[in-house]
Amino acid sequence: GAVVSQHPSWVICKSGTSVKIECRSLDFQATTMFWYRQFPKQSLMLMATSNEGSKATYEQGVEKDKFLINHASLTLSTLTVTSAHPEDSSFYICSASPKSEGASGYTFGSGTRLTVV
Amino acid sequence: AQSVTQLGSHVSVSEGALVLLRCNYSSSVPPYLFWYVQYPNQGLQLLLKYTTGATLVKGINGFEAEFKKSETSFHLTKPSAHMSDAAEYFCAVSDLGQGGKLIFGQGTELSVKP
């Protein structure tokens, strides 16, 4: 089946620095990828839709200048948390679906635990 | 807009007992519905999904769910709980009008007592 790889699985960074998280579709091409954020004991909150070759679409309330998304190829999307602060500490998860499966075939990455100190 | 409501943020069952996790959805179009399981500090694993066709859907690990349009429900069941079923479960609906992004319920934490 479709596999989505997310890297790193966990990262600790200092306040004010930037962190990049990668999301790769290993065996399929993904024109669209989604980025979610999850706080402890809470559900997944969609942050943005990453579109290959074009600008990402951000959900209401998500700061696009803080959470930079780049989808430069059909197999890679990156989320960069800029000038990170402790309140950005969270679990970030990406998902993608093979074009052949459309909206019924989303696979999730294993997630990235970000801790800002 | 589509939405998902999971009744009960926490469900506790004894090992071997029936598991029932409730999910109701709101959608103006025929929905795609999903159940995912999440173990601590991991991503989401698909248990099962309904797109079209048979309304009783069988998934992995002995789970199944039934799509009931009249009740706008998609409850998840398993006849006999196992200790390894203890995890967080999420029901989701695919917003086909918004590029297929998933709308998640609040999640239900399943505990299994020995």
Side-chain angles (χ1 to χ4, degrees):
Chain A
V3 178
V4 172
S5 174
Q6 194 171 336
H7 180 81
S9 56
W10 60 270
V11 59
I12 302 173
C13 71
K14 291 185 177 180
S15 188
T17 63
S18 296
V19 174
K20 180 183 287 187
I21 302 169
E22 293 186 349
C23 181
R24 294 181 183 272
S25 54
L26 295 187
D27 49 1
F28 65 96
Q29 293 183 333
T31 54
T32 300
M33 291 184 175
F34 295 103
W35 286 96
Y36 294 85
R37 182 174 182 176
Q38 185 180 32
F39 290 105
K41 299 294 184 181
Q42 294 189 26
S43 187
L44 281 74
M45 181 192 77
L46 180 65
M47 299 175 66
T49 303
S50 173
N51 303 299
E52 189 269 334
S54 64
K55 291 182 179 180
T57 303
Y58 290 82
E59 296 298 304
Q60 190 174 7
V62 177
E63 299 177 60
K64 59 183 66 177
D65 294 332
K66 180 164 192 61
F67 299 100
L68 300 180
I69 291 173
N70 184 283
H71 196 151
S73 78
L74 286 171
T75 59
L76 174 64
S77 174
T78 61
L79 169 67
T80 301
V81 183
T82 63
S83 186
H85 287 93
E87 57 264 31
D88 298 324
S89 297
S90 189
F91 195 56
Y92 294 87
I93 309 175
C94 67
S95 74
S97 176
K99 191 174 183 179
S100 60
E101 298 194 41
S104 67
Y106 282 100
T107 300
F108 286 79
S110 55
T112 298
R113 172 73 60 192
L114 170 63
T115 302
V116 184
V117 298
Chain B
Q2 293 172 311
S3 65
V4 177
T5 301
Q6 289 182 241
L7 300 177
S9 59
H10 185 249
V11 170
S12 181
V13 300
S14 297
E15 190 173 20
L18 171 72
V19 175
L20 171 60
L21 304 183
R22 300 177 186 273
C23 173
N24 288 88
Y25 69 91
S26 172
S27 177
S28 58
V29 298
Y32 287 178
L33 294 161
F34 307 80
W35 274 101
Y36 288 90
V37 61
Q38 185 182 34
Y39 296 97
N41 291 310
Q42 294 187 27
L44 274 66
Q45 180 183 11
L46 179 67
L47 284 175
L48 49 79
K49 63 183 176 184
Y50 169 80
T51 55
T52 60
T55 56
L56 182 61
V57 181
K58 294 187 184 298
I60 62 172
N61 301 337
F63 284 95
E64 63 181 36
E66 186 171 11
F67 169 59
K68 291 187 176 181
K69 184 178 179 180
S70 61
E71 298 178 9
T72 61
S73 69
F74 191 57
H75 301 330
L76 181 71
T77 60
K78 181 175 181 177
S80 177
H82 192 272
M83 295 296 291
S84 61
D85 295 326
E88 189 82 18
Y89 292 80
F90 292 97
C91 181
V93 61
S94 181
D95 190 341
L96 299 180
Q98 297 280 332
K101 64 184 181 183
L102 292 177
I103 309 298
F104 285 90
Q106 305 92 316
T108 298
E109 183 181 4
L110 175 65
S111 299
V112 182
K113 299 175 291 185

